[in-house]
Amino acid sequence: MLLDHIDTPQDLKGLSIDELVELTQDLRKFIIDIVATKEGHLGASLGVVELTVALHYVFNTPDDLLVWDVGHQAYGHKLLTGRREVFDTNRQKGGISGFPKREESEYDTFGVGHSSTAISAVLGMALASKLKGNLERQHIAVVGDASIASGMAFEGLNHAGVTDANVLVILNDNAIGIDPSVGALKDYLTSVKEGKNHRKNNMIKSLHFDYHGPIDGHNLPLLIKELRRLKKKKGPQFLHITTTKGKGLRQAEENQVKYHAPGKFDSQTGELIQKDEREFPAKYQDVFGHTLVELAKENMNIVGITPAMPTGSSLKYMMEAFPDRAIDVGIAEQHAVTLAAGMATQGLIPFCAIYSTFLQRAYDQVIHDVALQNLPVVFCMDRAGLVGEDGATHQGVYDIAYLNCIPNMTITAPMNEIELRNLLYTAQLGINGPLAIRYPRGKGVMTTTWKLPFEKVEQGIVKQLKKGNKFAFITTGTIGNNVSEALKKSEDKEWSHYHFLFVKPLNYDILHEIGQNYTRIVTIEDGTIIGGFGSTLAQFFAEKYSTVTVSVLGIKDIFVEHATVVEQQKECGIDIDSIIKIINS
């Protein structure tokens, strides 16, 4: 393969156009072959292969600064910038990251795991270059997978348009993020591609950008010609290219949602390798999605909201059953939260389905628009806790800490699918303020049906899962299953185990009971120990029961990098084997 001889972008400079076209074929095959067996993001990187080659061929990277938005488009970029030989370690413990990462390569000029940050980042870089007197350097933001629709992208465009900075924004317009794009901007871009708004009503030009396109993003000679022309231009430029997500693999082109991150598949045929998808255990997000539909059939005030993740969060089931009552707002977490707040003022019961890591992007709205007004918004926080191979940018380990300090907020963490289901049921009966329900990625623990009759959850409920006579584990959420399994394996008699379904408000009556009956307490959570569940308990016991020894286990003051969830739990000392060592110590 020609790719075998490309170690840096400088190796591209001497290739002919025909050789570059051959290189794009090599890149697609390499990406497909590795992702087929090692898993990862597929469709987005396949869609920008020609653009990736053209950018590194035309521009002088890494001196010219290139930022990918969102980062899962960048597999081809990694292969051309010295990481071909280690690409099979992608997203594995000790291997390279699935996203651009500054510590990994000088070609990764900005860390990008979430979306819509690139325009602001490259504008900052461009203004810095100007202040340093470097007026020739180029600064390129590749904005794709619907990231242009986020408010932050507009903020960046709004600022960049009134500067004379050398900024090139490339819109990779493939009409899809993880799910199909939504909203008026998508309709506008479609009309531009069809020629309806190309000459007259161009919103990008109105923001003082020089607009170019749309052009075919898979026509490599045309891309190179256009980028060479734009490289010589000063000030804010905007290039609109159209691509097909999953380009080069038929199944990925035809089923772009499934092949965004398809898991293992046959690299020759493209067919997915079937997993053992028995009904039980079910995925937590599916329990959420199906339960919400069940509840919505009886309660007409229920509405569902998601920021661009209907498939990932399983809100898709409600969108299919009640399309008028389930809303995908696009990559707009701030808008999603305040939209839910507005609905709540009018007597609706909004269930805002949002990944824990993405709720961070709407923190002010959670405080100012929901909690301060004590509005009954239900935050269904998928992917809470450790998330595995997506790594540091996607860990859902901060939510307990960042919600715990907010007045009026109730925080819950079910241990299994039944508790999740009952919390959803209880929420729609009527709540007096905001409620957060955190649950992890992937399969639950129930090996039989979770579709039991609903039971109302009493606030502050604590379950004693095992009774011992000397020590006590206190857990919240699904990490408690590790403790239960460890206690079962060790056949211990001394340790009790308490499961707190409610992180806030805490059941202080039970805490007093624990403080009076045990000499050693270990709290375990899959969140940060600074400001988290355990630290709150440790403060209580220090004030009320100073003779009790308290150990707080969870995520230390580190960013947990990509690995399997079990490997990450082991690193943090909250896996089953680590807990058994505590029991035996």
Side-chain angles (χ1 to χ4, degrees):
M1 287 198 305
L2 186 58
L3 179 60
D4 293 338
H5 305 286
I6 305 298
D7 296 315
T8 73
Q10 296 304 313
D11 296 328
L12 300 176
K13 308 299 184 181
L15 299 181
S16 67
I17 297 296
D18 287 343
E19 286 173 321
L20 292 172
V21 170
E22 180 185 341
L23 179 62
T24 64
Q25 298 169 349
D26 290 351
L27 278 170
R28 282 200 169 91
K29 184 177 187 307
F30 198 98
I31 293 169
I32 290 169
D33 287 346
I34 295 296
V35 177
T37 58
K38 296 300 178 70
E39 303 188 18
H41 294 98
L42 180 68
S45 286
L46 291 181
V48 294
V49 164
E50 286 83 7
L51 177 62
T52 304
V53 170
L55 285 169
H56 284 296
Y57 179 72
V58 171
F59 290 97
N60 183 31
T61 57
D63 185 61
D64 288 331
L65 301 174
L66 171 62
V67 178
W68 295 90
D69 187 355
V70 286
H72 56 235
Q73 300 176 101
Y75 285 6
H77 161 81
K78 293 201 172 205
L79 291 172
L80 295 179
T81 55
R83 286 164 280 186
R84 182 185 69 254
E85 295 296 331
V86 294
F87 191 71
D88 62 343
T89 69
N90 185 42
R91 303 171 81 244
Q92 298 176 49
K93 184 175 177 61
I96 63 172
S97 170
F99 304 97
K101 186 175 180 181
R102 280 171 53 83
E103 304 95 300
E104 192 177 290
S105 170
E106 64 178 335
Y107 292 93
D108 293 0
T109 60
F110 203 75
V112 279
H114 292 181
S115 80
S116 313
T117 58
I119 299 173
S120 297
V122 298
L123 178 58
M125 295 170 181
L127 294 176
S129 295
K130 182 181 176 183
L131 287 171
K132 291 181 176 183
N134 188 341
L135 305 181
E136 299 305 315
R137 172 180 280 168
Q138 291 291 340
H139 312 81
I140 308 107
V142 179
V143 184
D145 270 28
S147 295
I148 194 68
S150 173
M152 188 174 178
F154 278 101
E155 292 170 18
L157 288 171
N158 182 55
H159 183 193
V162 294
T163 73
D164 59 356
N166 290 340
V167 171
L168 170 60
V169 176
I170 300 176
L171 173 60
N172 170 29
D173 184 3
N174 58 14
I176 188 169
I178 295 176
D179 287 274
S181 302
V182 296
L185 182 61
K186 177 230 179 175
D187 293 341
Y188 167 77
L189 292 173
T190 299
S191 70
V192 169
K193 287 184 285 188
E194 293 174 351
K196 296 176 182 177
N197 281 313
H198 183 56
R199 299 296 178 192
K200 297 178 183 181
N201 178 27
N202 191 300
M203 63 178 292
I204 304 301
K205 288 183 178 179
S206 70
L207 293 172
H208 308 316
F209 275 76
D210 285 341
Y211 173 89
H212 312 274
I215 67 171
D216 180 1
H218 298 302
N219 185 329
L220 183 59
L222 179 60
L223 275 176
I224 291 173
K225 179 181 178 181
E226 188 67 8
L227 291 176
R228 278 175 168 164
R229 186 176 70 84
L230 293 175
K231 182 180 180 180
K232 301 174 184 177
K233 297 178 74 69
K234 303 296 183 181
Q237 309 292 321
F238 192 101
L239 175 61
H240 184 177
I241 72 170
T242 60
T243 64
T244 300
K245 187 168 181 175
K247 180 72 172 178
L249 183 66
R250 179 179 58 81
Q251 290 87 342
E253 293 182 31
E254 294 175 352
N255 192 340
Q256 295 175 331
V257 174
K258 173 64 74 174
Y259 281 80
H260 171 77
K264 290 184 172 63
F265 62 95
D266 188 311
S267 62
Q268 300 302 314
T269 67
E271 296 298 325
L272 297 178
I273 295 175
Q274 295 301 316
K275 299 178 182 178
D276 183 7
E277 293 286 359
R278 298 172 185 170
E279 185 178 2
F280 307 106
K283 293 179 180 178
Y284 281 101
Q285 61 263 36
D286 286 343
V287 174
F288 159 76
H290 290 301
T291 300
L292 196 62
V293 170
E294 188 176 347
L295 295 170
K297 290 177 181 177
E298 304 297 327
N299 189 336
M300 298 301 293
N301 286 325
I302 290 176
V303 291
I305 300 169
T306 184
M309 302 301 293
T311 298
S313 71
S314 291
L315 192 69
K316 64 180 181 180
Y317 299 122
M318 188 171 175
M319 295 178 76
E320 293 165 359
F322 304 104
D324 293 337
R325 294 163 58 195
I327 305 167
D328 176 5
V329 301
I331 304 176
E333 292 85 0
Q334 298 173 58
H335 169 59
V337 171
T338 305
L339 177 72
M343 289 179 160
T345 67
Q346 302 304 304
L348 296 183
I349 307 171
F351 287 76
C352 191
I354 184 167
Y355 290 8
S356 169
T357 186
F358 296 148
L359 188 59
Q360 297 164 186
R361 292 159 61 90
Y363 192 51
D364 181 65
Q365 287 68 30
V366 172
I367 295 175
H368 185 273
D369 299 339
V370 177
L372 183 62
Q373 303 185 90
N374 205 26
L375 293 172
V377 173
V378 186
F379 296 104
C380 301
M381 296 166 57
D382 194 354
R383 271 65 166 179
L386 295 164
V387 299
E389 291 82 359
D390 281 343
T393 58
H394 282 59
Q395 305 291 7
V397 299
Y398 309 107
D399 49 64
I400 292 177
Y402 71 66
L403 294 177
N404 208 13
C405 60
I406 303 175
N408 294 333
M409 181 66 68
T410 296
I411 308 170
T412 61
M415 189 171 173
N416 55 42
E417 302 91 306
I418 293 174
E419 288 190 346
L420 170 58
R421 177 174 166 83
N422 287 334
L423 281 168
L424 296 169
Y425 167 73
T426 302
Q428 58 88 43
L429 293 177
I431 52 178
N432 297 321
L435 169 66
I437 307 173
R438 68 186 307 268
Y439 48 94
R441 178 184 192 176
K443 287 185 176 293
V445 297
M446 305 299 297
T447 55
T448 58
T449 183
W450 46 266
K451 298 178 183 178
L452 301 175
F454 291 114
E455 293 183 8
K456 184 179 179 180
V457 176
E458 298 300 326
Q459 183 162 293
I461 187 172
V462 176
K463 296 179 181 178
Q464 185 173 11
L465 302 176
K466 180 182 177 296
K467 185 171 178 58
N469 55 22
K470 201 171 183 180
F471 313 123
F473 285 111
I474 305 178
T475 63
T476 187
T478 57
I479 198 68
N481 294 295
N482 280 10
V483 174
S484 291
E485 186 65 23
L487 287 167
K488 188 185 303 180
K489 286 185 175 182
S490 66
E491 299 181 350
D492 174 80
K493 305 298 183 186
E494 294 184 324
W495 284 87
S496 286
H497 180 199
Y498 292 86
H499 161 56
F500 276 62
L501 178 56
F502 284 77
V503 174
K504 184 180 181 182
L506 288 168
N507 188 324
Y508 287 102
D509 290 338
I510 297 295
L511 288 177
H512 279 294
E513 178 184 308
I514 294 171
Q516 293 163 7
N517 287 283
Y518 302 97
T519 59
R520 182 186 179 193
I521 294 168
V522 177
T523 72
I524 301 182
E525 62 198 292
D526 58 356
T528 57
I529 60 176
I530 297 177
F533 171 71
S535 67
T536 305
L537 268 58
Q539 180 179 350
F540 168 83
F541 288 119
E543 292 175 355
K544 305 295 184 181
Y545 301 94
S546 58
T547 60
V548 175
T549 301
V550 180
S551 300
V552 178
L553 299 183
I555 314 305
K556 299 178 178 66
D557 191 20
I558 60 171
F559 288 111
V560 180
E561 299 295 347
H562 47 279
T564 67
V565 170
V566 172
E567 289 171 334
Q568 290 169 342
Q569 288 179 351
K570 184 174 182 179
E571 179 184 349
C572 298
I574 57 176
D575 63 307
I576 294 173
D577 290 340
S578 296
I579 297 169
I580 289 175
K581 289 179 181 178
I582 293 172
I583 295 169
N584 294 332
S585 64

